[in-house]
Amino acid sequence: MSLISKVQQPDSNGRIQHVTPESAGWEYVGFDAYLLKKGQTLTLSSGEKELCLVLVAGLASVKTRHAEFPNLGKRMSPFERTPPWSVYVPHHDEVQVTADSDLELAVCNAPGSGNLPARLITPEDVGVERRGKGRNQRLVHNILPDNKEADSLLVVEVYTDEGATSSYPSHKHDEKESADETYLEETYYHRFDPEPGFAMQRVYTDDRSLDECMAPYNRDVVTVPRGYHPVATLAGYDNYYLNVMAGPVRLWKFTWEKDHAWVNSDEYPRSR
């Protein structure tokens, strides 16, 4: 089964990506991306899932059964590097999105079971942090981290400059019965500036029973069912990715690959 979902031409609803638990061969995470024209309306039913709608680029008005969130958005490109506007939608709800400009919309989903209301996640609600050292630095926007209310979903976006690495040192979160990790499936929705760029992403396990290296291009999705999953950018192209994670326990807990953990320590950078 391929771990990369290539971007498609928009269908009648504007959808360009459609990753389901069935297509990914796992249990929890689903992901869709849409390119909507100004004035276009998209209607979705959450069913047994909770949703997190992320305005990757553009303006929108969002309405659920019990709440309205008009005139959302400010950034017209994710590479403005300002936190996005997002909307959390619980299970057994309906949502209507009207594009107030051309709109790039991500719809993240995972099992929903609680009684949380629909809510707006403003840019001010998003935690901003910088991680890493040297050529392993990145900017992180925590849209729906594990300290914010949701049933299953974890959502974060990450910026990595040209020639740098991210999701590194290599780490994994694939053990269901571990004191050191939580089992979390994960998708990467990649964007590049300029758009013709690509990155290198490797997904691999300690025993190498899974070991794949991919070159995601603009708006491709990489699925990570298990194992380590570092990303390396190429000279000339900055990278953005939107991560969606979910599993049986809503907690981001991971372990480093032992050989490379030093890169995140005081030993780095070090003289060669």
Side-chain angles (χ1 to χ4, degrees), residues 1-2 18-26:
M1 180 178 294
S2 175
H18 183 49
V19 176
T20 67
E22 292 75 22
S23 69
W26 57 31

Side-chain angles (χ1 to χ4, degrees), residues 51-53 62 64 69 72 85-89 119-121:
L51 312 179
C52 182
L53 280 55
V62 178
T64 69
F69 308 108
L72 304 182
W85 293 78
S86 306
V87 175
Y88 173 85
V89 180
R119 73 178 188 273
L120 180 63
I121 303 172

Side-chain angles (χ1 to χ4, degrees), residues 89-103:
V89 180
H91 72 311
H92 298 160
D93 205 345
E94 290 187 359
V95 60
Q96 185 180 83
V97 180
T98 300
D100 297 330
S101 72
D102 287 353
L103 176 68

Side-chain angles (χ1 to χ4, degrees), residues 191-206:
R191 294 280 269 104
F192 294 92
D193 184 29
E195 287 194 0
F198 66 95
M200 303 303 294
Q201 185 161 15
R202 185 184 178 199
V203 180
Y204 63 103
T205 56
D206 285 313

Side-chain angles (χ1 to χ4, degrees), residues 1-5 17-32 49 107-111 153-154 173-174 176 183-189 201 203 210 214 221-229 242-248:
M1 180 178 294
S2 175
L3 299 185
I4 191 165
S5 172
Q17 281 288 356
H18 183 49
V19 176
T20 67
E22 292 75 22
S23 69
W26 57 31
E27 299 179 66
Y28 296 94
V29 171
F31 179 82
D32 295 289
K49 310 285 189 179
V107 180
C108 320
N109 72 75
L153 279 171
L154 299 165
H173 36 74
D174 58 13
K176 292 184 177 180
Y183 172 85
L184 294 170
E185 302 157 356
E186 185 168 16
T187 56
Y188 281 67
Y189 176 65
Q201 185 161 15
V203 180
L210 174 62
M214 292 149 285
V221 173
V222 171
T223 59
V224 182
R226 63 188 187 279
Y228 308 105
H229 38 279
L242 179 68
N243 281 143
V244 184
M245 293 179 281

Side-chain angles (χ1 to χ4, degrees), residues 242-261:
L242 179 68
N243 281 143
V244 184
M245 293 179 281
V249 177
R250 190 173 178 269
L251 179 67
W252 186 50
K253 197 172 183 180
F254 60 89
T255 58
W256 305 109
E257 186 178 14
K258 293 179 181 179
D259 286 348
H260 309 305

Side-chain angles (χ1 to χ4, degrees), residues 153-175:
L153 279 171
L154 299 165
V155 182
V156 62
E157 56 182 20
V158 178
Y159 295 87
T160 312
D161 292 336
E162 59 166 327
T165 55
S166 193
S167 289
Y168 191 79
S170 300
H171 68 276
K172 70 183 184 75
H173 36 74
D174 58 13
E175 298 288 340

